[in-house]
Amino acid sequence: MPMIQVKDNSDVTKYQENPIVQELLDRDLSDLANENFIIFPPQLQSSDDLDGENYIFHQHNREIRTGNIVGVMKRGVEEVRIHSRFYDSKNETDDFFIKYLLHQVLSMNVVRTKINIDSADSYYDLLAFLFPMYLNSAMEKGVYKEYVKRQYNDANVKGPINIARHIKTNTPFMGRIAYDTREFSFDNRLTQLIRHTIEKLNAEYSYDFASDSLTKDNMKSIIHETPSYSRIERFEVLSENVANPVRHGYYEEYYLLQKLCIQILNEEKIGFGHEDDEIHGIIIDVAWLWEEYLNTLLSERFIHPENKNSRYGISLFSDIQRTVYPDFYSKDKRVVLDAKYKMLDKKGINREDRYQIISYLHVLAAERAGITYPSKCKSDYVHAGKLDGFGGSLFKLPLMIPQNVESYDEFVTVIQESEMSFTSSLIEIF
């Protein structure tokens, strides 16, 4: 079956007989997180817009549509790719929009140094982008350590004697004894898996660490803690990790990193298991990515609350504890911004979003509250109404995404012009 290529937030009813679509229909990400998928961001609780209650394919009134998800799903020779709605399907270029957002959010420039003959697999270059974030998230728990079996042959016996190995090794007896131990070690099957992944990525990609010393330091730590690394043992290390996923809840981040490393080392051909009919792949929450990208543009002027870390939220009531987290707000400028990955060029702000930003405006005593979204139109301020009662006004502010560009460099040049227009419109609001 040929590869199917679709876009986010689009009608895909004509593909309803595809086995991958059938298998994933109406299954939300909280369900798929426990299976063979790499989901970005690594933990669903990082994404307020998803909160696990979103679908790759969702059926409503006999129509099947994609949501705010891009990615690749594979089962054997079958493959479904979901691009962003800004993807240029006519020229069949890379998804410049997603690539640019990943560059900006992850503060990482990743360039493939080896030519990939099979251009159909180029989408999996995303794995190289995602690896640093998964690594850094896991390393917040420190370098992973576990009990490993060690074999010694000396006079300082610290464990049970291995009779067979002792006779084979120490005949005639020269004062040494062969014995086995179990001891905590940083040099174990998982850190070896990470080390093999680092070596593979370093051989195939060029990482620019100019603005990301944390990733560089974490890579160095893994290399330092795995002195027994051997390139020829890669298959053995890989197989051992496939058969022994990390189980302890405390090390959830390492479980997610383990899944990513397995896909990278397998060159994305199989999932987290051995069955040929498993569906696996990469799922990226574009709504989360869009919000984090906007933060790179707005961080100097706006507060960006962190729901996961319970930081910078606002109290909804004066007598009851209830904290909410607007996407962006400025108390000094009395402006609230909500980031939405929606198609709003020809639509007004829907009721749910409108009520949400009005509540933020009221609680913060702000003067303006708006929705900011990606668009194919100019980045111009759109007035959406003046409120009765305590006053204030609503607005829409699009950020234009380049169309019909020939190269990624051209895309970067044009979107940087859009960013300047976008921030200029914000300054005028102030």
Side-chain angles (χ1 to χ4, degrees):
M1 181 177 291
M3 177 178 62
I4 294 175
Q5 299 194 72
V6 297
K7 295 184 179 182
D8 67 55
N9 293 279
S10 63
D11 183 359
V12 295
T13 308
K14 65 180 179 179
Y15 300 118
Q16 60 183 322
E17 298 302 323
N18 179 273
I20 295 179
V21 175
Q22 289 182 348
E23 178 68 23
L24 299 180
L25 186 63
D26 290 333
R27 295 182 63 187
D28 66 33
L29 295 195
S30 60
D31 179 21
L32 299 177
N34 297 320
E35 298 193 11
N36 305 327
F37 289 92
I38 302 299
I39 299 179
F40 185 78
Q43 294 172 301
L44 290 179
Q45 58 264 39
S46 300
S47 177
D48 298 333
D49 289 330
L50 278 184
D51 196 27
E53 298 178 356
N54 205 331
Y55 308 92
I56 302 175
F57 304 105
H58 182 56
Q59 187 169 14
H60 181 68
N61 293 333
R62 297 184 179 181
E63 180 182 79
I64 299 175
R65 296 187 64 84
T66 53
N68 289 336
I69 299 295
V70 299
V72 181
M73 288 126 273
K74 284 190 173 185
R75 169 186 268 171
V77 297
E78 298 166 347
E79 181 174 340
V80 175
R81 297 189 180 194
I82 305 177
H83 300 282
S84 77
R85 58 179 177 268
F86 302 102
Y87 170 69
D88 187 352
S89 56
K90 293 182 180 179
N91 293 332
E92 294 188 349
T93 57
D94 289 339
D95 197 332
F96 294 150
F97 175 70
I98 298 299
K99 183 177 181 179
Y100 182 75
L101 263 58
L102 286 170
H103 270 144
Q104 301 305 106
V105 170
L106 301 181
S107 302
M108 177 71 66
N109 187 25
V110 185
V111 179
R112 178 179 281 274
T113 55
K114 285 190 175 181
I115 297 176
N116 187 3
I117 298 176
D118 185 1
S119 60
D121 282 340
S122 62
Y123 207 102
Y124 278 113
D125 288 349
L126 288 172
L127 292 173
F129 279 98
L130 304 187
F131 176 76
M133 184 174 185
Y134 280 70
L135 174 67
N136 295 339
S137 177
M139 290 285 282
E140 288 181 1
K141 298 284 179 67
V143 180
Y144 181 83
K145 65 179 181 179
E146 67 179 8
Y147 279 110
V148 297
K149 183 179 180 180
R150 301 291 192 204
Q151 295 184 335
Y152 294 95
N153 188 42
D154 56 41
N156 302 314
V157 180
K158 298 177 183 178
I161 298 173
N162 189 320
I163 301 298
R165 187 163 60 87
H166 176 69
I167 294 174
K168 180 180 179 180
T169 306
N170 298 314
T171 303
F173 181 66
M174 300 293 290
R176 294 182 177 181
I177 298 176
Y179 62 95
D180 301 330
T181 67
R182 288 184 76 248
E183 55 191 45
F184 263 125
S185 176
F186 293 118
D187 193 359
N188 52 67
R189 64 170 179 260
L190 181 53
T191 53
Q192 282 289 332
L193 179 78
I194 301 170
R195 172 69 181 275
H196 282 279
T197 305
I198 291 172
E199 297 298 337
K200 178 179 174 64
L201 291 176
N202 283 339
E204 297 182 358
Y205 295 88
S206 172
Y207 280 94
D208 179 6
F209 293 109
S211 58
D212 188 25
S213 59
L214 177 61
T215 301
K216 185 177 181 180
D217 291 342
N218 284 336
M219 285 185 172
K220 286 183 177 179
S221 295
I222 293 295
I223 292 172
H224 177 265
E225 299 293 351
T226 52
S228 65
Y229 165 80
S230 173
R231 170 65 180 83
I232 62 175
E233 294 178 355
R234 178 169 296 177
F235 179 77
E236 179 182 347
V237 170
L238 180 59
S239 300
E240 191 173 1
N241 277 272
V242 169
N244 297 280
V246 175
R247 301 291 187 186
H248 200 290
Y250 177 76
Y251 288 115
E252 179 187 5
E253 294 84 358
Y254 271 105
Y255 168 70
L256 299 172
L257 176 60
Q258 184 184 43
K259 288 207 299 184
L260 180 68
C261 291
I262 287 171
Q263 285 210 14
I264 292 173
L265 293 177
N266 273 323
E267 297 181 348
E268 305 79 48
K269 291 184 175 65
I270 66 173
F272 202 51
H274 301 284
E275 298 298 328
D276 292 336
D277 63 349
E278 286 184 332
I279 299 178
H280 64 279
I282 309 170
I283 299 170
I284 297 177
D285 169 17
V286 193
W288 179 89
L289 192 61
W290 171 249
E291 180 181 328
E292 294 306 308
Y293 159 68
L294 287 176
N295 189 43
T296 66
L297 303 178
L298 304 175
S299 59
E300 292 184 1
R301 297 183 176 89
F302 285 85
I303 295 172
H304 180 44
E306 301 174 15
N307 191 352
K308 179 182 176 183
N309 298 321
S310 301
R311 298 177 62 191
Y312 310 123
I314 60 175
S315 180
L316 194 59
F317 302 103
S318 60
D319 59 343
I320 301 173
Q321 181 62 36
R322 178 70 169 92
T323 303
V324 293
Y325 298 86
D327 291 338
F328 302 95
Y329 67 90
S330 171
K331 288 185 176 180
D332 294 338
K333 304 301 181 181
R334 303 177 70 183
V335 177
V336 181
L337 273 178
D338 202 33
K340 295 296 182 185
Y341 186 71
K342 294 183 177 181
M343 294 179 284
L344 298 176
D345 289 334
K346 299 179 182 179
K347 300 179 182 178
I349 302 173
N350 68 31
R351 182 175 62 179
E352 182 179 345
D353 294 336
R354 183 169 62 248
Y355 290 167
Q356 183 183 50
I357 61 176
I358 289 174
S359 65
Y360 292 155
L361 179 145
H362 176 69
V363 171
L364 288 169
E367 295 179 347
R368 296 179 179 86
I371 301 287
T372 181
Y373 59 97
S375 168
K376 296 181 180 180
C377 301
K378 290 183 178 180
S379 303
D380 292 334
Y381 176 93
V382 179
H383 177 71
K386 187 174 181 179
L387 297 170
D388 276 337
F390 291 105
S393 62
L394 306 184
F395 64 91
K396 298 192 302 181
L397 184 60
L399 194 156
M400 188 182 73
I401 309 302
Q403 304 294 301
N404 303 315
V405 294
E406 298 297 327
S407 67
Y408 181 68
D409 288 342
E410 182 183 355
F411 180 93
V412 172
T413 299
V414 178
I415 198 171
Q416 286 177 346
E417 294 173 356
S418 295
E419 291 170 351
M420 293 178 62
S421 176
F422 176 80
T423 52
S424 295
S425 296
L426 277 179
I427 292 173
E428 292 178 7
I429 293 174
F430 290 167

